[in-house]
mmCIF file of all heavy atoms in Angstrom:
data_model
loop_
_atom_site.group_PDB
_atom_site.id
_atom_site.type_symbol
_atom_site.label_atom_id
_atom_site.label_comp_id
_atom_site.label_asym_id
_atom_site.label_seq_id
_atom_site.Cartn_x
_atom_site.Cartn_y
_atom_site.Cartn_z
ATOM 1 N N LEU A 51 81.506 90.342 76.360
ATOM 2 C CA LEU A 51 80.990 91.640 75.931
ATOM 3 C C LEU A 51 79.619 91.379 75.333
ATOM 4 O O LEU A 51 79.506 90.763 74.280
ATOM 5 C CB LEU A 51 81.890 92.274 74.872
ATOM 6 C CG LEU A 51 83.224 92.879 75.287
ATOM 7 C CD1 LEU A 51 84.181 91.845 75.792
ATOM 8 C CD2 LEU A 51 83.799 93.636 74.145
ATOM 9 N N ALA A 54 77.888 93.831 71.655
ATOM 10 C CA ALA A 54 78.908 94.739 71.112
ATOM 11 C C ALA A 54 78.587 95.088 69.666
ATOM 12 O O ALA A 54 78.120 94.258 68.890
ATOM 13 C CB ALA A 54 80.282 94.087 71.199
ATOM 14 N N THR A 55 78.873 96.321 69.297
ATOM 15 C CA THR A 55 78.636 96.768 67.921
ATOM 16 C C THR A 55 79.733 96.224 66.997
ATOM 17 O O THR A 55 80.758 95.728 67.455
ATOM 18 C CB THR A 55 78.618 98.299 67.845
ATOM 19 O OG1 THR A 55 79.896 98.794 68.250
ATOM 20 C CG2 THR A 55 77.533 98.886 68.710
ATOM 21 N N PHE A 57 81.730 97.922 65.205
ATOM 22 C CA PHE A 57 82.950 98.710 65.387
ATOM 23 C C PHE A 57 83.836 98.111 66.484
ATOM 24 O O PHE A 57 85.048 97.998 66.326
ATOM 25 C CB PHE A 57 82.602 100.160 65.734
ATOM 26 C CG PHE A 57 83.795 100.978 66.132
ATOM 27 C CD1 PHE A 57 84.685 101.433 65.175
ATOM 28 C CD2 PHE A 57 84.050 101.267 67.462
ATOM 29 C CE1 PHE A 57 85.805 102.171 65.539
ATOM 30 C CE2 PHE A 57 85.155 102.005 67.833
ATOM 31 C CZ PHE A 57 86.033 102.464 66.868
ATOM 32 N N VAL A 58 83.228 97.715 67.590
ATOM 33 C CA VAL A 58 83.986 97.137 68.707
ATOM 34 C C VAL A 58 84.583 95.799 68.309
ATOM 35 O O VAL A 58 85.768 95.532 68.554
ATOM 36 C CB VAL A 58 83.099 97.000 69.962
ATOM 37 C CG1 VAL A 58 83.819 96.237 71.063
ATOM 38 C CG2 VAL A 58 82.668 98.363 70.466
ATOM 39 N N THR A 59 83.790 94.930 67.671
ATOM 40 C CA THR A 59 84.301 93.605 67.313
ATOM 41 C C THR A 59 85.412 93.680 66.275
ATOM 42 O O THR A 59 86.337 92.876 66.305
ATOM 43 C CB THR A 59 83.160 92.710 66.792
ATOM 44 O OG1 THR A 59 82.531 93.345 65.691
ATOM 45 C CG2 THR A 59 82.157 92.443 67.886
ATOM 46 N N ALA A 61 87.551 96.197 65.983
ATOM 47 C CA ALA A 61 88.716 96.868 66.564
ATOM 48 C C ALA A 61 89.500 95.966 67.515
ATOM 49 O O ALA A 61 90.667 96.226 67.787
ATOM 50 C CB ALA A 61 88.279 98.140 67.299
ATOM 51 N N LEU A 62 88.882 94.913 68.022
ATOM 52 C CA LEU A 62 89.590 93.996 68.926
ATOM 53 C C LEU A 62 90.526 93.110 68.122
ATOM 54 O O LEU A 62 90.128 92.501 67.130
ATOM 55 C CB LEU A 62 88.581 93.137 69.692
ATOM 56 C CG LEU A 62 87.698 93.875 70.682
ATOM 57 C CD1 LEU A 62 86.599 92.950 71.193
ATOM 58 C CD2 LEU A 62 88.520 94.426 71.824
ATOM 59 N N TYR A 69 93.762 97.433 78.933
ATOM 60 C CA TYR A 69 93.904 98.322 80.081
ATOM 61 C C TYR A 69 92.572 98.394 80.805
ATOM 62 O O TYR A 69 91.521 98.314 80.188
ATOM 63 C CB TYR A 69 94.306 99.729 79.628
ATOM 64 C CG TYR A 69 95.576 99.762 78.828
ATOM 65 C CD1 TYR A 69 95.540 99.663 77.437
ATOM 66 C CD2 TYR A 69 96.803 99.879 79.447
ATOM 67 C CE1 TYR A 69 96.706 99.687 76.693
ATOM 68 C CE2 TYR A 69 97.975 99.900 78.704
ATOM 69 C CZ TYR A 69 97.914 99.803 77.337
ATOM 70 O OH TYR A 69 99.059 99.816 76.597
ATOM 71 N N ASP A 70 92.629 98.563 82.135
ATOM 72 C CA ASP A 70 91.387 98.736 82.875
ATOM 73 C C ASP A 70 91.057 100.214 82.947
ATOM 74 O O ASP A 70 91.935 101.061 82.945
ATOM 75 C CB ASP A 70 91.489 98.128 84.266
ATOM 76 C CG ASP A 70 92.442 98.872 85.147
ATOM 77 O OD1 ASP A 70 93.653 98.631 85.050
ATOM 78 O OD2 ASP A 70 91.987 99.720 85.923
ATOM 79 N N GLY A 71 89.777 100.526 83.002
ATOM 80 C CA GLY A 71 89.337 101.911 82.948
ATOM 81 C C GLY A 71 89.540 102.701 84.215
ATOM 82 O O GLY A 71 89.614 103.917 84.189
ATOM 83 N N SER A 72 89.648 102.034 85.368
ATOM 84 C CA SER A 72 89.730 102.784 86.624
ATOM 85 C C SER A 72 91.155 103.182 86.987
ATOM 86 O O SER A 72 91.381 104.261 87.507
ATOM 87 C CB SER A 72 89.103 101.972 87.757
ATOM 88 O OG SER A 72 89.783 100.742 87.893
ATOM 89 N N ASN A 74 93.903 102.795 84.724
ATOM 90 C CA ASN A 74 94.679 103.089 83.513
ATOM 91 C C ASN A 74 96.011 102.350 83.484
ATOM 92 O O ASN A 74 97.028 102.894 83.108
ATOM 93 C CB ASN A 74 94.908 104.593 83.361
ATOM 94 C CG ASN A 74 93.611 105.343 83.217
ATOM 95 O OD1 ASN A 74 92.663 104.821 82.648
ATOM 96 N ND2 ASN A 74 93.567 106.549 83.726
ATOM 97 N N ASP A 138 83.597 95.824 84.512
ATOM 98 C CA ASP A 138 84.298 97.107 84.520
ATOM 99 C C ASP A 138 84.495 97.585 83.089
ATOM 100 O O ASP A 138 84.213 96.868 82.135
ATOM 101 C CB ASP A 138 85.654 96.960 85.216
ATOM 102 C CG ASP A 138 86.204 98.278 85.737
ATOM 103 O OD1 ASP A 138 85.579 99.331 85.500
ATOM 104 O OD2 ASP A 138 87.274 98.252 86.364
ATOM 105 N N VAL A 139 85.013 98.796 82.974
ATOM 106 C CA VAL A 139 85.353 99.366 81.672
ATOM 107 C C VAL A 139 86.793 98.968 81.358
ATOM 108 O O VAL A 139 87.686 99.136 82.194
ATOM 109 C CB VAL A 139 85.208 100.901 81.692
ATOM 110 C CG1 VAL A 139 85.683 101.499 80.388
ATOM 111 C CG2 VAL A 139 83.773 101.286 81.973
ATOM 112 N N PHE A 140 87.001 98.440 80.165
ATOM 113 C CA PHE A 140 88.327 98.055 79.690
ATOM 114 C C PHE A 140 88.541 98.707 78.333
ATOM 115 O O PHE A 140 87.581 99.085 77.655
ATOM 116 C CB PHE A 140 88.442 96.534 79.560
ATOM 117 C CG PHE A 140 88.296 95.800 80.863
ATOM 118 C CD1 PHE A 140 87.056 95.397 81.316
ATOM 119 C CD2 PHE A 140 89.405 95.527 81.645
ATOM 120 C CE1 PHE A 140 86.913 94.725 82.506
ATOM 121 C CE2 PHE A 140 89.273 94.856 82.838
ATOM 122 C CZ PHE A 140 88.025 94.459 83.268
ATOM 123 N N TYR A 141 89.787 98.799 77.922
ATOM 124 C CA TYR A 141 90.042 99.368 76.606
ATOM 125 C C TYR A 141 91.391 98.910 76.074
ATOM 126 O O TYR A 141 92.274 98.500 76.809
ATOM 127 C CB TYR A 141 89.967 100.894 76.621
ATOM 128 C CG TYR A 141 90.982 101.595 77.491
ATOM 129 C CD1 TYR A 141 92.187 102.043 76.957
ATOM 130 C CD2 TYR A 141 90.746 101.814 78.836
ATOM 131 C CE1 TYR A 141 93.120 102.682 77.745
ATOM 132 C CE2 TYR A 141 91.668 102.455 79.629
ATOM 133 C CZ TYR A 141 92.856 102.891 79.077
ATOM 134 O OH TYR A 141 93.778 103.514 79.872
ATOM 135 N N THR A 142 91.504 98.966 74.743
ATOM 136 C CA THR A 142 92.784 98.816 74.063
ATOM 137 C C THR A 142 93.096 100.199 73.500
ATOM 138 O O THR A 142 92.377 101.149 73.764
ATOM 139 C CB THR A 142 92.710 97.775 72.931
ATOM 140 O OG1 THR A 142 91.812 98.248 71.944
ATOM 141 C CG2 THR A 142 92.282 96.423 73.446
ATOM 142 N N LYS A 143 94.137 100.298 72.687
ATOM 143 C CA LYS A 143 94.440 101.623 72.135
ATOM 144 C C LYS A 143 93.457 102.024 71.044
ATOM 145 O O LYS A 143 93.444 103.159 70.618
ATOM 146 C CB LYS A 143 95.882 101.698 71.640
ATOM 147 C CG LYS A 143 96.216 100.793 70.495
ATOM 148 C CD LYS A 143 97.683 100.970 70.131
ATOM 149 C CE LYS A 143 98.066 100.120 68.950
ATOM 150 N NZ LYS A 143 99.448 100.321 68.567
ATOM 151 N N TYR A 144 92.588 101.088 70.612
ATOM 152 C CA TYR A 144 91.645 101.397 69.541
ATOM 153 C C TYR A 144 90.192 101.500 69.989
ATOM 154 O O TYR A 144 89.393 102.148 69.327
ATOM 155 C CB TYR A 144 91.724 100.331 68.438
ATOM 156 C CG TYR A 144 93.090 100.242 67.811
ATOM 157 C CD1 TYR A 144 93.871 99.117 67.992
ATOM 158 C CD2 TYR A 144 93.590 101.279 67.052
ATOM 159 C CE1 TYR A 144 95.129 99.033 67.425
ATOM 160 C CE2 TYR A 144 94.848 101.200 66.490
ATOM 161 C CZ TYR A 144 95.611 100.073 66.683
ATOM 162 O OH TYR A 144 96.854 99.999 66.129
ATOM 163 N N VAL A 145 89.811 100.825 71.061
ATOM 164 C CA VAL A 145 88.393 100.736 71.409
ATOM 165 C C VAL A 145 88.204 100.624 72.918
ATOM 166 O O VAL A 145 89.072 100.134 73.631
ATOM 167 C CB VAL A 145 87.735 99.538 70.674
ATOM 168 C CG1 VAL A 145 88.271 98.228 71.181
ATOM 169 C CG2 VAL A 145 86.240 99.588 70.751
ATOM 170 N N LEU A 146 87.033 101.096 73.380
ATOM 171 C CA LEU A 146 86.642 101.054 74.789
ATOM 172 C C LEU A 146 85.374 100.227 74.903
ATOM 173 O O LEU A 146 84.483 100.340 74.059
ATOM 174 C CB LEU A 146 86.395 102.488 75.273
ATOM 175 C CG LEU A 146 85.853 102.659 76.667
ATOM 176 C CD1 LEU A 146 86.992 103.013 77.601
ATOM 177 C CD2 LEU A 146 84.814 103.756 76.685
ATOM 178 N N TRP A 147 85.248 99.375 75.953
ATOM 179 C CA TRP A 147 84.056 98.577 76.120
ATOM 180 C C TRP A 147 83.809 98.288 77.593
ATOM 181 O O TRP A 147 84.675 98.473 78.425
ATOM 182 C CB TRP A 147 84.154 97.255 75.338
ATOM 183 C CG TRP A 147 85.130 96.293 75.926
ATOM 184 C CD1 TRP A 147 84.868 95.345 76.878
ATOM 185 C CD2 TRP A 147 86.519 96.163 75.610
ATOM 186 N NE1 TRP A 147 86.014 94.653 77.177
ATOM 187 C CE2 TRP A 147 87.041 95.137 76.414
ATOM 188 C CE3 TRP A 147 87.360 96.827 74.726
ATOM 189 C CZ2 TRP A 147 88.370 94.753 76.349
ATOM 190 C CZ3 TRP A 147 88.676 96.438 74.681
ATOM 191 C CH2 TRP A 147 89.185 95.425 75.473
ATOM 192 N N TYR A 148 82.595 97.834 77.883
ATOM 193 C CA TYR A 148 82.209 97.392 79.224
ATOM 194 C C TYR A 148 82.112 95.891 79.187
ATOM 195 O O TYR A 148 81.323 95.325 78.423
ATOM 196 C CB TYR A 148 80.864 98.018 79.605
ATOM 197 C CG TYR A 148 80.457 97.737 81.033
ATOM 198 C CD1 TYR A 148 80.984 98.484 82.074
ATOM 199 C CD2 TYR A 148 79.575 96.728 81.333
ATOM 200 C CE1 TYR A 148 80.628 98.239 83.388
ATOM 201 C CE2 TYR A 148 79.196 96.465 82.639
ATOM 202 C CZ TYR A 148 79.717 97.227 83.648
ATOM 203 O OH TYR A 148 79.374 96.975 84.950
ATOM 204 N N GLY A 149 82.933 95.197 79.971
ATOM 205 C CA GLY A 149 82.972 93.746 79.937
ATOM 206 C C GLY A 149 82.768 93.128 81.305
ATOM 207 O O GLY A 149 82.995 93.755 82.336
#
Side-chain angles (χ1 to χ4, degrees):
L51 285 66
T55 62
F57 172 76
V58 172
T59 57
L62 293 171
Y69 303 91
D70 68 278
S72 59
N74 298 327
D138 202 356
V139 175
F140 297 89
Y141 63 94
T142 64
K143 64 181 182 178
Y144 300 112
V145 67
L146 174 100
W147 71 89
Y148 186 81

